[in-house]
Amino acid sequence: MSQSMLFLSIFLVLTTLSQWTTAIPAVRIPNKPHIFSETKHYPLPNLGNVQAHDPNIVELDGKFYLFKGGVHVPIHKASSLDGPWQKIGTVLDGPSVIEKQNRTRPWAPTTVQWKNRFYCFYTISKNGVRNSAIGVASSDSIDQGGWTDHGAVINTEKGPLSDMYPLTVSNAIDASFIADQSTGKPYLLWGSYWHGIFQLPLADDLLSVEDEERLDAKHLVFLPEHKVKPQEGSFMTYREPYYYLWFSHGKCCGFHKGFPVMGREYSIRVGRSKDVTGPFVDKSGKKLLDGGGTTVYGSNHGLVYAPGGIGVLPENKHHQDIMYYHYLNTTIGFLNSDAQLGWSYIEYDDGWPVARAKASSAPSRANYTINLMVLMFVWVLVWIVR
């Protein structure tokens, strides 16, 4: 009897220590040569179990809120990153107040909590044009809705401020947000293809840029030697002592018209700086303004294709840093509507992020305490039985 209890104790401890995550099953399909990377250098993503292109996730009170491009900017909610996801509403009640094309289906939302209110930056644009805008809506509650659409923060090609540099040369899409850790000053990041990625300080209410008479913009990411400049989808995080500038590099979509040479599809890249305004450099020391960028995650296993639309959930008492993104599963399809939510844990090697399928093997203090209590309980039970 005591031997049986010993086996039971071992089983309970092992199951308590386990930190398994759901990953793509290792299903193989025939691949066209020189298109789908077979590399195993990157882990298969943990499954979000929801279709999403350019996802944005906010973690609040133990719940996850997913914002994604689509009609009126859909909002989904789940208790776990692997779902199930329940649609709880939309950011906009109807078309955006910005009078440009595609007003009913904004792109690439980014939602942040700022001074007890939520702000959702969204993109109004159309493929291949610069007549774009980044708008913003705000609400006191994600769950309760009641979003107010405040209209455009910046415009390119047409609209207020579009005649001022760098709005004269950039494309106002793919907004993201960061606050200076020392001063608290908020910043807006944006940009795609046309001259890369830029940054501007925002007014304290996040509804406009600071000092509209003189835009204090910083150029952050650029490909000076290339005619086509496929850098977009920026996201900035802070992990002492560095700011990390994440972005997507390569062809994102339109694969129904054909595939690029392997390696020229979307991948997730990063640079870092000790200053929120840069300059940012990659692991080799190359400036992002000179075409640099260290690849953190790319196509892999012949199954994951063109990952991008990056976001990062910062470490808290429940998990370490988590990188989330969309990707195309080669067994499903290659349209934007086929894009899947995936996510990976992040570990840091000499201060540089590395994608992992599973959480760090070192249990947290809370998990260690629980494991120890379970072990003590089981051994006391064994002693009583004996």
Side-chain angles (χ1 to χ4, degrees):
M1 184 67 174
S2 60
Q3 189 176 34
S4 298
M5 292 305 300
L6 177 60
F7 289 144
L8 175 61
S9 67
I10 294 172
F11 172 77
L12 287 172
V13 172
L14 289 176
T15 53
T16 307
L17 286 170
S18 296
Q19 302 288 330
W20 301 115
T21 56
T22 308
I24 293 178
V27 178
R28 293 296 305 113
I29 62 170
N31 288 334
K32 295 180 180 180
H34 312 303
I35 294 178
F36 304 136
S37 173
E38 302 280 350
T39 183
K40 295 178 175 58
H41 179 70
Y42 310 110
L44 290 167
N46 297 303
L47 300 182
N49 294 304
V50 66
Q51 292 181 341
H53 192 267
D54 290 333
N56 171 242
I57 299 176
V58 174
E59 186 175 4
L60 182 68
D61 298 329
K63 303 294 183 182
F64 297 94
Y65 296 85
L66 169 66
F67 297 76
K68 61 179 182 175
V71 176
H72 304 160
V73 188
I75 309 172
H76 291 73
K77 180 180 180 179
S79 297
S80 171
L81 284 176
D82 56 11
W85 295 91
Q86 175 190 4
K87 185 176 179 180
I88 62 170
T90 59
V91 171
L92 304 180
D93 294 330
S96 166
V97 298
I98 301 171
E99 294 185 358
K100 293 190 177 187
Q101 69 285 324
N102 201 26
R103 295 166 58 200
T104 60
R105 298 182 66 91
W107 296 351
T110 290
T111 299
V112 298
Q113 187 174 17
W114 179 256
K115 297 186 177 180
N116 299 316
R117 192 166 174 84
F118 297 93
Y119 295 81
C120 178
F121 297 94
Y122 62 85
T123 293
I124 299 295
S125 189
K126 187 171 70 173
N127 288 334
V129 304
R130 280 188 62 249
N131 186 21
S132 308
I134 290 172
V136 64
S138 68
S139 173
D140 288 329
S141 169
I142 297 178
D143 279 301
Q144 300 301 319
W147 294 83
T148 300
D149 187 1
H150 302 280
V153 179
I154 58 172
N155 289 276
T156 50
E157 191 170 286
K158 296 180 181 180
L161 303 182
S162 62
D163 59 346
M164 298 182 67
Y165 179 85
L167 299 174
T168 52
V169 298
S170 61
N171 192 18
I173 76 169
D174 291 358
S176 61
F177 174 90
I178 188 72
D180 188 304
Q181 294 294 303
S182 58
T183 67
K185 177 181 284 192
Y187 288 87
L188 177 76
L189 287 81
W190 82 94
S192 169
Y193 278 78
W194 283 271
H195 285 262
I197 295 169
F198 292 85
Q199 178 192 69
L200 270 172
L202 288 168
D204 194 59
D205 62 5
L206 305 193
L207 303 184
S208 61
V209 296
E210 182 183 72
D211 192 1
E212 293 183 344
E213 300 299 319
R214 186 184 66 85
L215 300 183
D216 184 20
K218 300 296 182 183
H219 202 183
L220 301 181
V221 182
F222 190 50
L223 276 172
E225 304 300 327
H226 296 257
K227 182 178 180 180
V228 179
K229 308 179 190 301
Q231 301 164 309
E232 56 190 8
S234 63
F235 196 89
M236 193 177 289
T237 58
Y238 179 77
R239 184 177 186 271
E240 192 176 6
Y242 296 109
Y243 294 91
Y244 291 87
L245 176 50
W246 309 75
F247 62 98
S248 302
H249 177 103
K251 183 177 175 64
C252 73
C253 35
F255 299 121
H256 62 287
K257 299 178 181 179
F259 295 92
V261 174
M262 185 171 66
R264 294 187 181 178
E265 74 279 5
Y266 248 17
S267 61
I268 296 168
R269 304 192 180 188
V270 74
R272 73 185 189 188
S273 171
K274 291 186 177 180
D275 192 310
V276 69
T277 60
F280 289 83
V281 299
D282 65 15
K283 192 174 182 178
S284 70
K286 188 174 184 178
K287 292 182 179 181
L288 300 195
L289 281 173
D290 293 331
T294 297
T295 302
V296 179
Y297 197 71
S299 301
N300 60 82
H301 290 78
L303 289 166
V304 175
Y305 188 68
I310 173 70
V312 176
L313 293 172
E315 179 181 21
N316 58 34
K317 64 181 180 180
H318 301 295
H319 60 74
Q320 64 197 71
D321 283 3
I322 290 175
M323 171 179 71
Y324 60 86
Y325 42 85
H326 74 246
Y327 69 96
L328 295 170
N329 185 326
T330 59
T331 67
I332 295 175
F334 301 94
L335 301 177
N336 282 359
S337 58
D338 295 320
Q340 307 293 309
L341 173 65
W343 54 280
S344 306
Y345 293 98
I346 299 174
E347 294 181 358
Y348 291 84
D349 182 5
D350 194 26
W352 289 99
V354 179
R356 301 292 187 215
K358 298 179 181 179
S360 173
S361 58
S364 67
R365 184 182 300 272
N367 284 340
Y368 178 80
T369 302
I370 293 171
N371 294 334
L372 184 60
M373 291 175 63
V374 171
L375 182 60
M376 292 175 63
F377 172 78
V378 171
W379 280 109
V380 167
L381 189 59
V382 171
W383 182 82
I384 293 173
V385 171
R386 291 182 61 187

